[in-house]
Amino acid sequence: RLLQTEHDETARAENLPEQIERLTTALTETEDRLAQLAATRKVIDGLTPPDHATTPAETTTATVYQRIVTTLNEHPQKVFRVRELHEHLGLPTDEPSVNVTRSRLGRLVRQGFLEQPGRGRYQKRT
């Protein structure tokens, strides 16, 4: 048994240089990839306007939904058009932004948080 154990350990020791070489190669490739990603990040950061803080999309979306529901809760009897809601919330009133909010309001209607008393009009569900 002792002789077999020594033989197994010797065989493992003979394989160590190959394992070290494979791991060294993998490490070098990973470091190169990380350097490429860092360079890409610098380019992307250089293209982003400085006045736009980057925030995770989920947080931004959740915040907008919360602001919409909060506004409608604060004005339960008021019927809002999408553009009026944008102005009230201080959001951009360009057409793409308004369309995104229109979709969000539609989801809130389907989920039962809001009601749509007329086409393009939204208010808190009573």
Side-chain angles (χ1 to χ4, degrees):
R1 277 186 173 182
L2 185 59
L3 187 58
Q4 183 62 39
T5 304
E6 286 181 22
H7 176 70
D8 292 344
E9 288 177 8
T10 302
R12 274 189 237 128
E14 289 173 355
N15 289 332
L16 286 178
E18 292 173 16
Q19 289 177 353
I20 290 170
E21 186 176 330
R22 279 194 323 254
L23 291 172
T24 302
T25 301
L27 178 62
T28 302
E29 290 171 355
T30 302
E31 287 173 340
D32 290 344
R33 181 68 179 142
L34 286 172
Q36 290 172 352
L37 290 171
T40 302
R41 179 66 182 187
K42 285 181 184 178
V43 169
I44 291 171
D45 286 345
L47 295 173
T48 305
D51 60 337
H52 286 75
T54 54
T55 58
E58 301 88 32
T59 304
T60 303
T61 301
T63 303
V64 172
Y65 275 105
Q66 290 170 350
R67 290 176 62 199
I68 290 170
V69 172
T70 300
T71 298
L72 291 164
N73 283 337
E74 290 171 353
H75 307 283
Q77 302 303 318
K78 183 168 172 75
V79 177
F80 283 95
R81 289 191 167 279
V82 181
R83 202 167 296 277
E84 293 170 350
L85 186 60
H86 260 249
E87 290 170 1
H88 185 78
L89 294 172
L91 297 172
T93 56
D94 60 290
E95 199 59 33
S97 297
V98 171
N99 285 336
V100 169
T101 300
R102 190 172 285 116
S103 295
R104 289 177 176 150
L105 291 168
R107 277 188 212 107
L108 291 169
V109 168
R110 287 189 298 279
Q111 292 172 352
F113 292 104
L114 307 177
E115 59 185 25
Q116 194 172 6
R119 187 166 185 241
R121 298 169 189 257
Y122 301 89
Q123 75 179 65
K124 181 181 181 335
R125 186 177 196 119
T126 54

